[in-house]
Amino acid sequence: MTSYRLQGRGRVDHGKPVNFTFDGKTYQGLAGDTLASALLANGVHLMGRSFKYHRPRGVVSAGSDEPNALMGTRRGPGRFEPNTRATIQEIREGLEAASQNRWPSLAFDMGAINDNLGSLFSAGFYYKTFMWPRAFWDRVYEPVIRNAAGLGVSPTEPDADSYASRFAHVDVLVVGAGPAGLAAALAAGRSGASVMLVDENAEVGGTLLSEPTVVIDGQPAWDWLAATVAELDGLANVQVMPRTTAIGYYHQNLVGLAQRLTDHLAAPPEGAPRERMWKVRAKEVVLAQGALEKPLVFDGNDRPGVMLASAAQTYLNRYGVKVGDRPAIVTAHDSAWHAAFDLAGAGAKPVVIVDMRASVDPALTDRAHALGIEALLGRTVTGTAGRLRVTSLRVNRMEGGKAGEPRDIGCDAVLMCGGWTPCLHLFSHTQGKLAWDEALQVYLPGRKTEAVQIAGAGRGLWSIAASLGDGANAGAAAARDVGLEAEAPVFGVAADRTGSGITLKELPTDRDPAKAKAFIDFQNDVTAKDIRLAVREGMRSIEHVKRYTTNGMATDQGKMSNINGLMIASDALGKAPPQVGLTTFRPPYSPTTFGTFAGYHQDATFEVTRKTPIDPWAEANGAVFEPVALWRRAWFFPKPGEDMHAAVGRECRGARASVGIFDASTLGKIEVVGPDAVTFMERMYTNPWAKLGVGRCRYGLLLGEDGFIRDDGVIGRIAEDRFHVTTTTGGAARVLNMMEDYLQTEWPDLKVWLTSTTEQWAVVALQGPNARKLLEPFVEGLDISAEAFPHMAVAECTVAGFPARLFRVSFTGELGFEVNVPARHGRALWETLWQAGQQYDICPYGTETMHVLRAEKGYIIVGQDTDGTLTPGDAGLTWAIGKAKPDFVGKRSLTRPDMVAKGRKQLVGLLTEDPKVVLQEGAQIVADPAQPKPMTMIGHVTSSYWSDALGRSIAMAVVVDGRERDGQTLHIPMPGGTITAKVVKSTAFLDPENRRLSA
Amino acid sequence: MTATTDPGVTVTELPPPTRITLRVADPTGQPLPTRIGAIEGCALCLGPDEWLLEGDAAADLVAGLPGPYSAVEVSDREITYLLEGPAVLDLLATGCPRDLASMPVGAGARTVYDTAQVVLVREANDRFRLTVWRSFAPHVRALFDIAMREIAAGL
């Protein structure tokens, strides 16, 4: 093991080495390490290149706020993730990690030329530079910028992992398992409340993991932590979930949690999902997210080896890793002094503590002297040196508010602390208001919108004692709010290291500030001078400054940069920080995989695929399927060697010559029942229903309030008070909702009820001249002769031994029947008719043939020939309007001036001049093909097929004043040339007298 | 690879009983529960004027009603699964947003599982009946299978 690992120190398992690779080289860490801590233990600080300037970067934090140490991680094929935070990813045997944003190597990167050209890449660079010429944007600028931008590479293989999701309901959800969160969970858990305690780290404990010297209730911090976790684990009503990030806080205390399940395991159990999304509804939420340390803003504050002081403390105490032998500490807060003391205690030799403040607690300076650490107060830091690792720090005296003479101090790490920012991201998701605290120079939670408590450092409490007490109070209050008796436990804390500090803008320098690379946002490469430039160029609101500079717009959402950016902007504007404002945090709190959001919705369960009872037969008989809404429907049934055109032609001939069999089960069905059923039907549909006799059917047309066609279908009257309504396949749910809406809001007085029966019935359609001959022997209790059971009749009877509703209807223009039987019998009925139909060369057909057959008759398909802007008049369906009816949905709209004006598009037939040419559906139609472009388009083709029965192509189209154009020649310009076609005002191409269907 | 364990829950498709969707304007004086989610006899109250009747007694109950009402047979519209075992709440929590732990035994509810509307009846602490529209059943069943593997994996 290297000299950076301290034997016996930290919470890592010194007896369990773990091998992993970084940029192809094998390293050894210990069980319990993160990628970052393991690399630091090996003396590796250089972990990435920055986004814009390609500057060499080292790890800067030890948590989820890490902006620099973002890596690609891999576990075999299909298991690659870009931008994994090395500070969060635990090492496992065989983990492959690789640095990003560098070429050809991390140590030597060509893109770093951007760094020298930094003065070109100022804030707003893209907006200013790529304005002109406009035509260059699409072809040159955008592709080049896109190629250069972005961090990491997207995975190229399908994700081989699976993901899970889970709902949960708890009394109290505690977010953050540091001192405040643990105390809250204890208080609430002991009261009997159901508690979920979540923490994004691999281990609960928060600050306590980095502060082992604190004594709680007489126990060393880690002993107290172990006892507390044991107590919580022992409570059946408490669930403790590490590796679980609360990513979003939504209305009514719904919190989204992303739980990492297998990324830390060398060999995940079979069937285990990689991550799980929890959707937790909590009666009370306790936010104990703690505080985030801010960097100090000075030239060269991003050099590898420069990191947050608290991070160094965490690497030391939690992971047993020294981040350097000779660290220099630069700070504006007491907390970094303790980091220096801890490092000194572990054998490092801190070379200097530089505090920006002119005076600090003498106890700190005394301790520094005792440990032999030079302490410099009232100084500024103006630079660092070192190529791929910091080698020295440039420190200046402050003289009359200005930086004086510099002094270079050699070091191998710089630990900085610019104070602490309460982490209020989740609180911000709830639209809770933040209030600026002048004394602490931080934003604290203000007005709340949810049943939430904020505890600990999240509301500006800077000690473990205060956080424990505050958490205990919050947990007890939450438990009481859900109606339980609860007491806040009291903790005795010794050796607590409280502290205070100041909040600064960028540090003063004796050099040209315009040349300083003093970073605020490390992930987006935003410097202090970028913020000042934005203000000079007129940005006044922090929202504008943010977008102009991209400060805080990286995936870390400004966890480190927000307040530093605000302090500099407010200084430049000469306004107090609260007057400049704060940007809004949005979910997710930290980057979350798409897989976690998708959950189970991948592969076969990506979306529901609805299948009919007859679907298995279609599959067994070689059907090709097409999706129709959520259904999959048999599209056509090709025989060996047949293409779609040949199969559809044969199916059409089969149905017209003898008999075809079709699965119509997906049609929407609604049972309308009650004494007011006929009144309801009169009001909903355009057609008259009062005189429709029991046992008869009618084509029904449904409009919206706007008078446009919404749906259609054949409707049968089963009894005086009972209608069997059919809808389009895709419209079933929509029509039922629309009907319910009218019933509940407009006509609650009507005694009528709606029940969806779509799936109660399987529907087998027999269409063709031999349909009756085939069906008749199977029908019991009904005479289906042409006289007794004419077109548009319906009756209940028995078919092939199954109870049935038999409709004599036709969507093909042929003699046709639709047999409805309870769904469980659908396949048996189909197979019975199929067997018996062999004597008639029965032909199964799919939706494509159904479309052709109906188009030959000019029957419309709502949603294909209509698009939500066609009235019954436009579609040539005024015959379906009950003109004597006092009202129906959409009636009033039909008389509005625009709806009866000339110039509306009307549905007509189109016959191409060349009968062999089949028009393309959606093709645009013009009157004069010689006119200059852009041409005036007067309509488009809605349906177009080859008609085997007619021996030519047929089409339907909507055309301006189409019916007046009967006989006119129109033009359809296509890439290969213009096609001419003649308008026919009737779309009934075949058997317009309806002789066949009346047979 | 760690060996997987018993998921602690089984899913069984039940034969379809007679099912009737009953809508009644005024249930006063009728043998129908009026609290949503309550079950009395063969009737589960799904809404202020809606009941799901299940079993052989359903037709008799309808026959005894004075009307006006709507009774529509939906026996074939749905598939019912019996979900049973100590992990049944975990299984349902993979797709049902309701707080089912607080649902009393002997009560029912119309809710959703994933994107499918379902009716749940809690028959015992660790036993539910789930009824779902026929064409959505394979999707729900497939999700149950995935969830059972996940529960067995123990993470």
Side-chain angles (χ1 to χ4, degrees), chain A residues 548-573:
Chain A
Y548 198 63
T549 60
T550 73
N551 190 53
M553 286 173 69
T555 57
D556 63 357
Q557 283 197 61
K559 290 187 178 74
M560 281 184 191
S561 62
N562 242 302
I563 297 299
N564 279 335
L566 174 63
M567 296 311 285
I568 294 165
S570 73
D571 180 67
L573 286 162

Side-chain angles (χ1 to χ4, degrees), chain A residues 39-376:
Chain A
L39 285 171
L40 288 171
N42 285 280
V44 177
H45 274 255
L46 178 63
M47 297 192 196
R49 287 273 173 174
S50 77
F51 174 60
K52 186 162 139 188
Y53 299 127
H54 290 244
R55 284 168 71 93
R57 289 283 169 81
V59 67
V60 67
S61 83
S64 66
D65 49 346
E66 176 59 33
N68 286 346
L70 308 177
M71 300 176 178
T73 51
R74 197 166 179 278
R75 190 210 287 274
R79 293 188 164 93
F80 169 78
E81 181 186 79
N83 295 320
T84 304
R85 285 153 298 162
T87 49
I88 292 289
Q89 175 63 51
E90 298 160 66
I91 56 167
R92 56 169 189 257
E93 193 65 34
L95 170 69
E96 299 166 44
S99 59
Q100 303 183 149
N101 215 33
R102 83 292 189 269
W103 184 86
S105 76
L106 185 55
F108 178 75
D109 169 41
M110 292 297 286
I113 194 161
N114 284 4
D115 195 22
N116 299 324
L117 301 176
S119 56
L120 290 181
F121 289 99
S122 60
F125 166 71
Y126 294 108
Y127 302 124
K128 294 168 190 163
T129 311
F130 299 111
M131 291 281 286
W132 186 90
R134 174 66 185 86
F136 270 38
W137 180 255
D138 294 333
R139 283 182 288 119
V140 183
Y141 296 149
E142 187 174 333
V144 169
I145 294 169
R146 281 200 186 281
N147 197 31
L151 203 56
V153 290
S154 297
T156 53
E157 298 162 311
D159 192 338
D161 280 307
S162 64
Y163 297 84
S165 51
R166 199 72 69 90
F167 290 93
H169 301 261
V170 294
D171 291 328
V172 183
L173 171 68
V174 183
V175 177
L182 287 166
L186 271 181
R190 285 172 182 170
S191 78
S194 60
V195 177
M196 196 180 252
L197 172 65
V198 303
D199 194 285
E200 63 179 344
N201 288 288
E203 220 185 335
V204 300
T207 314
L208 297 179
L209 301 174
S210 310
E211 293 271 3
T213 52
V214 174
V215 177
I216 305 170
D217 287 347
Q219 294 175 288
W222 289 358
D223 292 350
W224 180 86
L225 176 61
T228 299
V229 171
E231 179 179 347
L232 292 173
D233 283 343
L235 291 170
N237 53 316
V238 178
Q239 193 176 359
V240 181
M241 292 167 53
R243 298 187 185 95
T244 304
T245 307
I247 57 165
Y249 192 155
Y250 307 90
H251 287 305
Q252 297 180 314
N253 271 4
L254 179 72
V255 180
L257 310 175
Q259 183 183 24
R260 306 187 303 279
L261 297 168
T262 59
D263 272 3
H264 62 292
L265 299 175
E270 180 118 18
R274 179 179 173 223
E275 293 174 357
R276 178 182 290 124
M277 178 78 85
W278 289 82
K279 284 162 253 183
V280 182
R281 187 75 70 177
K283 291 187 182 130
E284 291 282 323
V285 171
V286 177
L287 294 178
Q289 292 188 276
L292 296 167
E293 195 174 20
K294 284 176 293 185
L296 283 168
V297 184
F298 55 91
D299 183 35
N301 64 345
D302 67 327
R303 208 172 294 284
V306 182
M307 67 171 67
L308 295 171
S310 67
Q313 200 171 3
T314 294
Y315 288 120
L316 177 70
N317 291 326
R318 181 171 168 193
Y319 299 105
V321 175
K322 246 183 332 182
V323 298
D325 288 321
R326 294 175 302 116
I329 289 85
V330 297
T331 184
H333 196 280
D334 297 345
S335 62
W337 290 71
H338 298 294
F341 301 155
D342 283 0
L343 275 158
K349 298 262 179 289
V351 289
V352 67
I353 302 174
V354 184
D355 201 309
M356 308 304 121
R357 296 170 295 177
S359 66
V360 299
D361 184 346
L364 296 174
T365 42
D366 290 350
R367 182 86 195 278
H369 288 146
L371 290 166
I373 310 171
E374 184 180 13
L376 302 173

Side-chain angles (χ1 to χ4, degrees), chain A residues 386-601:
Chain A
R387 196 173 84 84
L388 299 175
R389 174 81 184 264
V390 67
T391 53
S392 73
L393 182 71
R394 190 168 182 271
V395 182
N396 304 52
R397 247 175 225 291
M398 287 299 289
E399 289 157 6
K402 290 201 160 45
E405 277 301 298
R407 171 188 157 196
D408 288 316
I409 301 172
C411 59
D412 63 355
V414 173
L415 315 183
M416 58 183 169
C417 174
W420 295 79
T421 307
C423 184
L424 293 167
H425 287 236
L426 288 175
F427 179 72
S428 187
H429 294 176
T430 66
Q431 299 295 308
K433 288 280 170 283
L434 301 182
W436 178 254
D437 186 286
E438 195 54 39
L440 289 173
Q441 294 278 293
V442 293
Y443 277 104
L444 294 179
R447 188 177 54 80
K448 298 191 279 195
T449 63
E450 296 282 345
V452 60
Q453 323 264 345
I454 298 96
R459 59 186 202 95
L461 302 174
W462 295 153
S463 75
I464 286 169
S467 291
L468 281 168
D470 200 43
N473 287 333
R480 283 193 290 270
D481 283 351
V482 300
L484 295 164
E485 282 183 26
E487 266 186 56
V490 178
F491 305 96
V493 178
D496 199 358
R497 304 198 287 195
T498 59
S500 64
I502 56 171
T503 298
L504 298 169
K505 52 186 194 292
E506 75 271 46
L507 302 184
T509 180
D510 56 329
R511 293 166 158 172
D512 180 1
K515 293 224 165 83
K517 291 258 169 67
F519 284 88
I520 304 172
D521 185 326
F522 292 73
Q523 201 183 341
N524 263 359
D525 267 354
V526 180
T527 61
K529 64 176 189 293
D530 292 329
I531 303 280
R532 292 193 181 273
L533 178 69
V535 170
R536 276 204 304 282
E537 296 193 348
M539 310 300 146
R540 291 292 174 270
S541 154
I542 197 70
E543 295 286 356
H544 291 153
V545 171
K546 165 182 165 175
R547 280 156 185 82
Y548 198 63
T549 60
T550 73
N551 190 53
M553 286 173 69
T555 57
D556 63 357
Q557 283 197 61
K559 290 187 178 74
M560 281 184 191
S561 62
N562 242 302
I563 297 299
N564 279 335
L566 174 63
M567 296 311 285
I568 294 165
S570 73
D571 180 67
L573 286 162
K575 287 183 183 171
Q579 290 175 281
V580 182
L582 185 69
T583 54
T584 310
F585 300 112
R586 293 192 174 81
Y589 173 72
S590 55
T592 307
T593 62
F594 283 117
T596 301
F597 284 103
Y600 302 112
H601 293 240

